[in-house]
Amino acid sequence: MARYVCVSLILFALVISVPLVFAQTSASLSGVVHDPSGAVIPGASVTLTEPTKNLKLQTLTTDDGLFTFPALQPGNYSVSVEMAGFKTVVKNGIILETNQKQSAGTFVLEVGEVSSTVQVTADSGQLQVKTRTGEQAEVVTGRQVRELAINGRNYLDLVKVVPGVVSTGNYQVAGPGGFGDISINGTRTNQHNLTIDGATNVDAGSNGTQHVALNMDAIEEFQVLTSNYQAEYGRSGGGEIKITSRSGTKDFHGTTYLFHRHEGMNANQFFNTAGLDNKSRPLYRYNYFGYNLGGPVKLPKNLLKDKLFFFWAQEWHKQLVPRAAPQQVRMPTTAEVSGDFSLTRDGDGNLIT
């Protein structure tokens, strides 16, 4: 009994937390349904599906023929519209990005049997035309994040592929720094914000560093809002960088990896070999290794089957970062180690008494 109560409380906490998380990074999808004459069709049944997460949502068109699905996560969706006396229309390939307000366009139902289906593929060019908002944003998808050759596995390096963004940061070394080296559309380097799943990840004391550095394999989407974004992003006057973390799917998937960098794979500098001393290559050793695993949560009696997912990722960094100049450190003498400081001198050479 106690175990059942504990499981029930955990599930309840997960259920009430889902809307809060969705509200921070969610997208929305809307559209309108017409008949062949152009008149709106109220009361049509609209079904939204996302196969990888086994998601299925339903709604009805309003008196104006409109439908809306709020609080959606990034993904590849399909919309099906049914109405008695009309053929069913299915539109596939509707891609939603983080926090995007997307229009699925107009669904024109042809007269016929409901059992007849008209398959339509969403026009990618039409989806790029923003009719619901005037904000300017660029998105780097999760696949691009994982496949782009990012030298130091620092996601801030991704801003360099976004138009209007100037970055002077050197992100060859992992860590939370470098946030103060970014300027978006000419704004100051301390005037932008970065959120992970809707929570601010910027040190408010300096506006130049982050609290945590997220593992790149745990990123679902990386989005940069450069201008004309909505009032809800009111913390900073510059751009808004939004990161959405990955989720599991109905199938188990995992990855292990090692990213290795070593001076033995680098060419030596010209002036190191031009002289008589023939200097060796500078030390350059970085090892980033980790794993991730995602999939469905298996509960007794198939409870919440294909509706509850998990994703877990860990990464470790072992890196050698040599100093640009030698550092002198004074080591204790044998007498000092034994507790005798009678011959110890200060920085000016005077005996310490």
Side-chain angles (χ1 to χ4, degrees):
M1 182 64 181
R3 180 180 300 177
Y4 175 79
V5 173
C6 181
V7 172
S8 300
L9 290 175
I10 293 174
L11 292 178
F12 177 74
L14 290 173
V15 169
I16 64 174
S17 65
V18 166
L20 298 176
V21 175
F22 276 18
Q24 295 166 348
T25 60
S26 60
S28 64
L29 181 66
S30 62
V32 61
V33 181
H34 288 174
D35 64 14
S37 67
V40 300
I41 301 180
S45 176
V46 185
T47 304
L48 179 75
T49 58
E50 211 285 11
T52 63
K53 295 182 175 64
N54 201 34
L55 175 67
K56 184 177 181 180
L57 302 174
Q58 291 182 316
T59 188
L60 297 176
T61 55
T62 64
D63 293 338
D64 297 323
L66 301 173
F67 67 87
T68 301
F69 291 98
L72 300 175
Q73 290 299 287
N76 193 332
Y77 291 86
S78 296
V79 176
S80 173
V81 182
E82 299 180 2
M83 185 65 182
F86 295 92
K87 296 180 180 179
T88 300
V89 175
V90 178
K91 181 176 286 189
N92 302 311
I94 302 175
I95 298 176
L96 284 184
E97 300 170 349
T98 297
N99 202 55
Q100 185 180 26
K101 293 175 174 56
Q102 181 65 273
S103 171
T106 302
F107 290 76
V108 179
L109 303 187
E110 301 177 2
V111 177
E113 297 292 333
V114 176
S115 57
S116 301
T117 302
V118 179
Q119 295 280 349
V120 180
T121 301
D123 186 346
S124 58
Q126 181 185 15
L127 293 177
Q128 293 178 7
V129 178
K130 298 176 181 177
T131 60
R132 299 289 308 279
T133 176
E135 66 188 18
Q136 298 298 313
E138 295 292 336
V139 171
V140 182
T141 66
R143 180 176 179 179
Q144 291 171 328
V145 169
R146 292 185 290 275
E147 294 184 356
L148 284 174
I150 304 299
N151 190 16
R153 287 185 59 78
N154 189 325
Y155 52 76
L156 291 181
D157 232 358
L158 297 171
V159 301
K160 296 178 180 179
V161 304
V162 177
V165 178
V166 176
S167 173
T168 59
N170 180 358
Y171 302 114
Q172 294 185 15
V173 179
F179 189 65
D181 299 323
I182 301 171
S183 176
I184 301 177
N185 275 357
T187 56
R188 295 182 179 180
T189 56
N190 62 351
Q191 289 185 327
H192 41 271
N193 189 32
L194 186 147
T195 61
I196 298 178
D197 289 337
T200 298
N201 189 39
V202 179
D203 181 0
S206 66
N207 272 5
T209 58
Q210 304 173 82
H211 294 301
V212 296
L214 189 64
N215 174 3
M216 288 191 63
D217 278 43
I219 296 177
E220 178 67 26
E221 278 193 355
F222 181 92
Q223 183 184 54
V224 181
L225 303 174
T226 57
S227 62
N228 293 344
Y229 43 82
Q230 302 170 63
E232 61 187 283
Y233 309 112
R235 178 187 180 277
S236 303
E240 175 82 12
I241 302 174
K242 299 183 68 65
I243 296 176
T244 303
S245 62
R246 287 178 67 183
S247 169
T249 63
K250 63 181 182 180
D251 299 316
F252 286 101
H253 294 281
T255 304
T256 59
Y257 56 86
L258 167 64
F259 290 88
H260 174 68
R261 289 179 285 167
H262 192 275
E263 69 270 10
M265 294 182 284
N266 295 345
N268 204 350
Q269 300 177 15
F270 172 78
F271 290 103
N272 284 351
T273 58
L276 297 177
D277 49 357
N278 193 19
K279 297 180 181 178
S280 60
R281 299 179 181 90
L283 295 178
Y284 188 83
R285 300 176 185 178
Y286 300 88
N287 292 282
Y288 301 162
F289 51 95
Y291 69 94
N292 57 73
L293 178 66
V297 176
K298 300 294 186 179
L299 296 175
K301 299 181 180 181
N302 289 328
L303 185 64
L304 296 178
K305 181 181 179 181
D306 292 339
K307 295 183 181 297
L308 186 63
F309 311 97
F310 77 94
F311 183 83
W312 178 272
Q314 280 189 293
E315 183 174 278
W316 293 269
H317 300 165
K318 294 185 67 176
Q319 54 193 27
L320 173 63
V321 184
R323 288 184 172 271
Q327 182 182 17
Q328 294 184 352
V329 179
R330 182 186 181 280
M331 301 299 293
T333 64
T334 304
E336 291 172 344
V337 170
S338 62
D340 181 5
F341 294 92
S342 60
L343 299 178
T344 302
R345 298 179 180 271
D346 60 19
D348 295 328
N350 301 318
L351 287 173
I352 298 177
T353 58

